[in-house]
PDB file of all heavy atoms in Angstrom:
ATOM      1  N   LEU A 561      21.128  25.898 -11.961  1.00 94.00           N
ATOM      2  CA  LEU A 561      22.073  27.080 -12.184  1.00 94.00           C
ATOM      3  C   LEU A 561      23.374  26.759 -11.431  1.00 94.00           C
ATOM      4  O   LEU A 561      23.423  26.035 -10.437  1.00 94.00           O
ATOM      5  CB  LEU A 561      21.341  28.353 -11.564  1.00 94.00           C
ATOM      6  CG  LEU A 561      20.064  28.767 -12.154  1.00 94.00           C
ATOM      7  CD1 LEU A 561      19.596  29.971 -11.489  1.00 94.00           C
ATOM      8  CD2 LEU A 561      20.151  28.875 -13.692  1.00 94.00           C
ATOM      9  N   PHE A 562      24.361  27.418 -11.930  1.00 94.00           N
ATOM     10  CA  PHE A 562      25.700  27.398 -11.236  1.00 94.00           C
ATOM     11  C   PHE A 562      25.570  28.233  -9.956  1.00 94.00           C
ATOM     12  O   PHE A 562      25.419  29.448 -10.072  1.00 94.00           O
ATOM     13  CB  PHE A 562      26.819  27.906 -12.127  1.00 94.00           C
ATOM     14  CG  PHE A 562      27.054  27.018 -13.312  1.00 94.00           C
ATOM     15  CD1 PHE A 562      26.822  27.466 -14.595  1.00 94.00           C
ATOM     16  CD2 PHE A 562      27.474  25.723 -13.214  1.00 94.00           C
ATOM     17  CE1 PHE A 562      27.133  26.697 -15.743  1.00 94.00           C
ATOM     18  CE2 PHE A 562      27.735  24.942 -14.329  1.00 94.00           C
ATOM     19  CZ  PHE A 562      27.599  25.454 -15.602  1.00 94.00           C
ATOM     20  N   PRO A 563      25.642  27.654  -8.781  1.00 95.00           N
ATOM     21  CA  PRO A 563      25.477  28.525  -7.552  1.00 95.00           C
ATOM     22  C   PRO A 563      26.516  29.527  -7.348  1.00 95.00           C
ATOM     23  O   PRO A 563      26.215  30.479  -6.630  1.00 95.00           O
ATOM     24  CB  PRO A 563      25.493  27.383  -6.394  1.00 95.00           C
ATOM     25  CG  PRO A 563      26.277  26.300  -6.924  1.00 95.00           C
ATOM     26  CD  PRO A 563      26.004  26.244  -8.453  1.00 95.00           C
ATOM     27  N   HIS A 564      27.729  29.338  -7.900  1.00 96.00           N
ATOM     28  CA  HIS A 564      28.808  30.298  -7.609  1.00 96.00           C
ATOM     29  C   HIS A 564      28.839  31.345  -8.747  1.00 96.00           C
ATOM     30  O   HIS A 564      29.881  32.150  -8.766  1.00 96.00           O
ATOM     31  CB  HIS A 564      30.140  29.534  -7.614  1.00 96.00           C
ATOM     32  CG  HIS A 564      30.385  28.739  -8.767  1.00 96.00           C
ATOM     33  ND1 HIS A 564      29.794  27.650  -9.190  1.00 96.00           N
ATOM     34  CD2 HIS A 564      31.422  28.910  -9.796  1.00 96.00           C
ATOM     35  CE1 HIS A 564      30.162  27.222 -10.257  1.00 96.00           C
ATOM     36  NE2 HIS A 564      31.163  27.863 -10.690  1.00 96.00           N
ATOM     37  N   ARG A 565      27.919  31.387  -9.611  1.00 96.00           N
ATOM     38  CA  ARG A 565      27.840  32.383 -10.677  1.00 96.00           C
ATOM     39  C   ARG A 565      26.602  33.274 -10.577  1.00 96.00           C
ATOM     40  O   ARG A 565      25.571  32.779 -10.125  1.00 96.00           O
ATOM     41  CB  ARG A 565      28.016  31.758 -12.007  1.00 96.00           C
ATOM     42  CG  ARG A 565      29.236  30.996 -12.265  1.00 96.00           C
ATOM     43  CD  ARG A 565      29.319  30.510 -13.672  1.00 96.00           C
ATOM     44  NE  ARG A 565      30.595  29.783 -14.033  1.00 96.00           N
ATOM     45  CZ  ARG A 565      31.784  30.231 -14.181  1.00 96.00           C
ATOM     46  NH1 ARG A 565      31.914  31.589 -14.193  1.00 96.00           N
ATOM     47  NH2 ARG A 565      32.797  29.483 -14.377  1.00 96.00           N
ATOM     48  N   THR A 566      26.696  34.583 -10.870  1.00 98.00           N
ATOM     49  CA  THR A 566      25.517  35.419 -10.844  1.00 98.00           C
ATOM     50  C   THR A 566      24.526  35.047 -11.934  1.00 98.00           C
ATOM     51  O   THR A 566      24.840  34.230 -12.811  1.00 98.00           O
ATOM     52  CB  THR A 566      25.977  36.851 -11.045  1.00 98.00           C
ATOM     53  OG1 THR A 566      26.475  37.003 -12.411  1.00 98.00           O
ATOM     54  CG2 THR A 566      27.076  37.291 -10.034  1.00 98.00           C
ATOM     55  N   ALA A 567      23.309  35.663 -11.798  1.00 98.00           N
ATOM     56  CA  ALA A 567      22.304  35.408 -12.807  1.00 98.00           C
ATOM     57  C   ALA A 567      22.796  35.671 -14.271  1.00 98.00           C
ATOM     58  O   ALA A 567      22.626  34.863 -15.078  1.00 98.00           O
ATOM     59  CB  ALA A 567      21.112  36.217 -12.468  1.00 98.00           C
ATOM     60  N   LEU A 568      23.460  36.814 -14.410  1.00 98.00           N
ATOM     61  CA  LEU A 568      24.021  37.135 -15.675  1.00 98.00           C
ATOM     62  C   LEU A 568      25.105  36.159 -16.135  1.00 98.00           C
ATOM     63  O   LEU A 568      25.153  35.757 -17.333  1.00 98.00           O
ATOM     64  CB  LEU A 568      24.643  38.564 -15.649  1.00 98.00           C
ATOM     65  CG  LEU A 568      25.196  39.042 -17.021  1.00 98.00           C
ATOM     66  CD1 LEU A 568      24.234  39.070 -18.100  1.00 98.00           C
ATOM     67  CD2 LEU A 568      25.827  40.434 -16.834  1.00 98.00           C
ATOM     68  N   GLU A 569      25.994  35.722 -15.222  1.00 97.00           N
ATOM     69  CA  GLU A 569      26.991  34.843 -15.577  1.00 97.00           C
ATOM     70  C   GLU A 569      26.498  33.472 -15.938  1.00 97.00           C
ATOM     71  O   GLU A 569      27.025  32.794 -16.882  1.00 97.00           O
ATOM     72  CB  GLU A 569      28.021  34.667 -14.406  1.00 97.00           C
ATOM     73  CG  GLU A 569      28.846  35.912 -14.222  1.00 97.00           C
ATOM     74  CD  GLU A 569      29.643  35.882 -12.955  1.00 97.00           C
ATOM     75  OE1 GLU A 569      29.258  35.065 -11.985  1.00 97.00           O
ATOM     76  OE2 GLU A 569      30.613  36.646 -12.800  1.00 97.00           O
ATOM     77  N   ASN A 570      25.388  33.083 -15.309  1.00 97.00           N
ATOM     78  CA  ASN A 570      24.762  31.857 -15.680  1.00 97.00           C
ATOM     79  C   ASN A 570      24.184  31.913 -17.141  1.00 97.00           C
ATOM     80  O   ASN A 570      24.260  30.946 -17.896  1.00 97.00           O
ATOM     81  CB  ASN A 570      23.585  31.541 -14.740  1.00 97.00           C
ATOM     82  CG  ASN A 570      24.037  30.625 -13.619  1.00 97.00           C
ATOM     83  OD1 ASN A 570      24.084  29.386 -13.744  1.00 97.00           O
ATOM     84  ND2 ASN A 570      24.302  31.232 -12.464  1.00 97.00           N
ATOM     85  N   VAL A 571      23.673  33.054 -17.488  1.00 97.00           N
ATOM     86  CA  VAL A 571      22.988  33.254 -18.830  1.00 97.00           C
ATOM     87  C   VAL A 571      24.018  33.211 -19.911  1.00 97.00           C
ATOM     88  O   VAL A 571      23.790  32.648 -20.982  1.00 97.00           O
ATOM     89  CB  VAL A 571      22.180  34.547 -18.856  1.00 97.00           C
ATOM     90  CG1 VAL A 571      21.677  34.735 -20.243  1.00 97.00           C
ATOM     91  CG2 VAL A 571      20.955  34.420 -17.861  1.00 97.00           C
ATOM     92  N   ILE A 572      25.214  33.835 -19.646  1.00 97.00           N
ATOM     93  CA  ILE A 572      26.167  34.010 -20.751  1.00 97.00           C
ATOM     94  C   ILE A 572      27.244  32.911 -20.853  1.00 97.00           C
ATOM     95  O   ILE A 572      28.062  32.919 -21.714  1.00 97.00           O
ATOM     96  CB  ILE A 572      26.854  35.360 -20.624  1.00 97.00           C
ATOM     97  CG1 ILE A 572      27.753  35.513 -19.434  1.00 97.00           C
ATOM     98  CG2 ILE A 572      25.842  36.459 -20.629  1.00 97.00           C
ATOM     99  CD1 ILE A 572      28.468  36.781 -19.290  1.00 97.00           C
ATOM    100  N   GLU A 573      27.185  32.006 -19.914  1.00 95.00           N
ATOM    101  CA  GLU A 573      28.194  30.978 -19.856  1.00 95.00           C
ATOM    102  C   GLU A 573      28.309  30.194 -21.217  1.00 95.00           C
ATOM    103  O   GLU A 573      29.373  29.979 -21.727  1.00 95.00           O
ATOM    104  CB  GLU A 573      27.868  29.972 -18.692  1.00 95.00           C
ATOM    105  CG  GLU A 573      28.897  28.827 -18.553  1.00 95.00           C
ATOM    106  CD  GLU A 573      30.243  29.251 -18.005  1.00 95.00           C
ATOM    107  OE1 GLU A 573      30.368  30.415 -17.488  1.00 95.00           O
ATOM    108  OE2 GLU A 573      31.208  28.438 -17.972  1.00 95.00           O
ATOM    109  N   GLY A 574      27.170  29.831 -21.682  1.00 93.00           N
ATOM    110  CA  GLY A 574      27.202  29.044 -22.986  1.00 93.00           C
ATOM    111  C   GLY A 574      27.691  29.879 -24.147  1.00 93.00           C
ATOM    112  O   GLY A 574      28.312  29.364 -25.090  1.00 93.00           O
ATOM    113  N   LEU A 575      27.321  31.162 -24.209  1.00 95.00           N
ATOM    114  CA  LEU A 575      27.717  32.041 -25.242  1.00 95.00           C
ATOM    115  C   LEU A 575      29.220  32.096 -25.338  1.00 95.00           C
ATOM    116  O   LEU A 575      29.877  32.158 -26.339  1.00 95.00           O
ATOM    117  CB  LEU A 575      27.166  33.409 -25.086  1.00 95.00           C
ATOM    118  CG  LEU A 575      25.617  33.551 -25.295  1.00 95.00           C
ATOM    119  CD1 LEU A 575      25.161  34.917 -25.012  1.00 95.00           C
ATOM    120  CD2 LEU A 575      25.287  33.133 -26.767  1.00 95.00           C
ATOM    121  N   ILE A 576      29.874  32.227 -24.107  1.00 96.00           N
ATOM    122  CA  ILE A 576      31.352  32.440 -24.035  1.00 96.00           C
ATOM    123  C   ILE A 576      32.025  31.050 -24.303  1.00 96.00           C
ATOM    124  O   ILE A 576      33.018  30.995 -25.118  1.00 96.00           O
ATOM    125  CB  ILE A 576      31.747  32.978 -22.698  1.00 96.00           C
ATOM    126  CG1 ILE A 576      31.142  34.412 -22.619  1.00 96.00           C
ATOM    127  CG2 ILE A 576      33.211  33.016 -22.527  1.00 96.00           C
ATOM    128  CD1 ILE A 576      31.307  34.990 -21.248  1.00 96.00           C
ATOM    129  N   VAL A 577      31.592  30.033 -23.613  1.00 93.00           N
ATOM    130  CA  VAL A 577      32.346  28.731 -23.638  1.00 93.00           C
ATOM    131  C   VAL A 577      32.033  27.926 -24.950  1.00 93.00           C
ATOM    132  O   VAL A 577      32.965  27.445 -25.541  1.00 93.00           O
ATOM    133  CB  VAL A 577      32.015  27.911 -22.375  1.00 93.00           C
ATOM    134  CG1 VAL A 577      32.628  26.502 -22.485  1.00 93.00           C
ATOM    135  CG2 VAL A 577      32.393  28.576 -21.133  1.00 93.00           C
ATOM    136  N   VAL A 578      30.750  27.936 -25.247  1.00 90.00           N
ATOM    137  CA  VAL A 578      30.424  27.022 -26.513  1.00 90.00           C
ATOM    138  C   VAL A 578      30.475  27.846 -27.825  1.00 90.00           C
ATOM    139  O   VAL A 578      31.032  27.412 -28.697  1.00 90.00           O
ATOM    140  CB  VAL A 578      29.006  26.483 -26.226  1.00 90.00           C
ATOM    141  CG1 VAL A 578      28.606  25.645 -27.474  1.00 90.00           C
ATOM    142  CG2 VAL A 578      29.036  25.605 -24.976  1.00 90.00           C
ATOM    143  N   LYS A 579      29.880  29.037 -27.799  1.00 91.00           N
ATOM    144  CA  LYS A 579      29.770  29.816 -29.053  1.00 91.00           C
ATOM    145  C   LYS A 579      30.973  30.753 -29.253  1.00 91.00           C
ATOM    146  O   LYS A 579      31.059  31.422 -30.263  1.00 91.00           O
ATOM    147  CB  LYS A 579      28.478  30.578 -29.122  1.00 91.00           C
ATOM    148  CG  LYS A 579      27.258  29.618 -29.239  1.00 91.00           C
ATOM    149  CD  LYS A 579      26.092  30.364 -29.804  1.00 91.00           C
ATOM    150  CE  LYS A 579      24.932  29.442 -30.227  1.00 91.00           C
ATOM    151  NZ  LYS A 579      23.796  30.113 -30.931  1.00 91.00           N
ATOM    152  N   ARG A 580      31.807  30.855 -28.254  1.00 93.00           N
ATOM    153  CA  ARG A 580      32.989  31.698 -28.298  1.00 93.00           C
ATOM    154  C   ARG A 580      32.806  33.128 -28.554  1.00 93.00           C
ATOM    155  O   ARG A 580      33.543  33.882 -29.294  1.00 93.00           O
ATOM    156  CB  ARG A 580      33.965  31.180 -29.442  1.00 93.00           C
ATOM    157  CG  ARG A 580      34.275  29.665 -29.331  1.00 93.00           C
ATOM    158  CD  ARG A 580      35.043  29.350 -28.009  1.00 93.00           C
ATOM    159  NE  ARG A 580      35.530  28.007 -27.931  1.00 93.00           N
ATOM    160  CZ  ARG A 580      36.199  27.440 -26.885  1.00 93.00           C
ATOM    161  NH1 ARG A 580      36.424  28.260 -25.888  1.00 93.00           N
ATOM    162  NH2 ARG A 580      36.405  26.174 -26.837  1.00 93.00           N
ATOM    163  N   TRP A 581      31.756  33.647 -27.928  1.00 95.00           N
ATOM    164  CA  TRP A 581      31.454  35.086 -28.031  1.00 95.00           C
ATOM    165  C   TRP A 581      32.413  35.860 -27.134  1.00 95.00           C
ATOM    166  O   TRP A 581      32.899  35.275 -26.171  1.00 95.00           O
ATOM    167  CB  TRP A 581      30.071  35.372 -27.614  1.00 95.00           C
ATOM    168  CG  TRP A 581      28.919  35.199 -28.558  1.00 95.00           C
ATOM    169  CD1 TRP A 581      28.851  34.070 -29.438  1.00 95.00           C
ATOM    170  CD2 TRP A 581      27.662  35.805 -28.624  1.00 95.00           C
ATOM    171  NE1 TRP A 581      27.770  34.070 -30.157  1.00 95.00           N
ATOM    172  CE2 TRP A 581      26.949  35.120 -29.640  1.00 95.00           C
ATOM    173  CE3 TRP A 581      27.124  36.894 -28.013  1.00 95.00           C
ATOM    174  CZ2 TRP A 581      25.657  35.639 -30.022  1.00 95.00           C
ATOM    175  CZ3 TRP A 581      25.887  37.384 -28.390  1.00 95.00           C
ATOM    176  CH2 TRP A 581      25.173  36.692 -29.424  1.00 95.00           C
ATOM    177  N   ASN A 582      32.734  37.035 -27.492  1.00 96.00           N
ATOM    178  CA  ASN A 582      33.612  37.923 -26.565  1.00 96.00           C
ATOM    179  C   ASN A 582      32.710  38.320 -25.383  1.00 96.00           C
ATOM    180  O   ASN A 582      31.443  38.395 -25.570  1.00 96.00           O
ATOM    181  CB  ASN A 582      34.220  39.113 -27.252  1.00 96.00           C
ATOM    182  CG  ASN A 582      33.243  40.080 -27.782  1.00 96.00           C
ATOM    183  OD1 ASN A 582      32.524  40.661 -26.998  1.00 96.00           O
ATOM    184  ND2 ASN A 582      33.137  40.235 -29.081  1.00 96.00           N
ATOM    185  N   ARG A 583      33.289  38.644 -24.303  1.00 96.00           N
ATOM    186  CA  ARG A 583      32.456  38.857 -23.090  1.00 96.00           C
ATOM    187  C   ARG A 583      31.603  40.008 -23.154  1.00 96.00           C
ATOM    188  O   ARG A 583      30.544  40.036 -22.638  1.00 96.00           O
ATOM    189  CB  ARG A 583      33.482  38.968 -21.906  1.00 96.00           C
ATOM    190  CG  ARG A 583      32.776  39.100 -20.552  1.00 96.00           C
ATOM    191  CD  ARG A 583      33.726  38.962 -19.377  1.00 96.00           C
ATOM    192  NE  ARG A 583      34.162  37.526 -19.331  1.00 96.00           N
ATOM    193  CZ  ARG A 583      33.465  36.559 -18.615  1.00 96.00           C
ATOM    194  NH1 ARG A 583      32.290  36.927 -18.108  1.00 96.00           N
ATOM    195  NH2 ARG A 583      33.969  35.394 -18.589  1.00 96.00           N
ATOM    196  N   SER A 584      32.015  41.107 -23.800  1.00 96.00           N
ATOM    197  CA  SER A 584      31.212  42.292 -23.820  1.00 96.00           C
ATOM    198  C   SER A 584      29.975  42.048 -24.639  1.00 96.00           C
ATOM    199  O   SER A 584      28.832  42.427 -24.287  1.00 96.00           O
ATOM    200  CB  SER A 584      32.015  43.444 -24.442  1.00 96.00           C
ATOM    201  OG  SER A 584      32.342  43.224 -25.766  1.00 96.00           O
TER     202      SER A 584
END
């Protein structure tokens, strides 16, 4: 896990960066 990101931020990182989902 990324130590500087919360549990939720770790889960959604790929959705935002790779799949280009909007944050909400």
Side-chain angles (χ1 to χ4, degrees):
L561 300 180
F562 296 115
H564 59 291
R565 297 188 184 277
T566 65
L568 180 61
E569 289 169 342
N570 268 279
V571 172
I572 67 177
E573 180 76 8
L575 290 175
I576 294 172
V577 175
V578 179
K579 291 200 168 186
R580 305 297 183 184
W581 283 33
N582 65 64
R583 183 166 291 275
S584 62

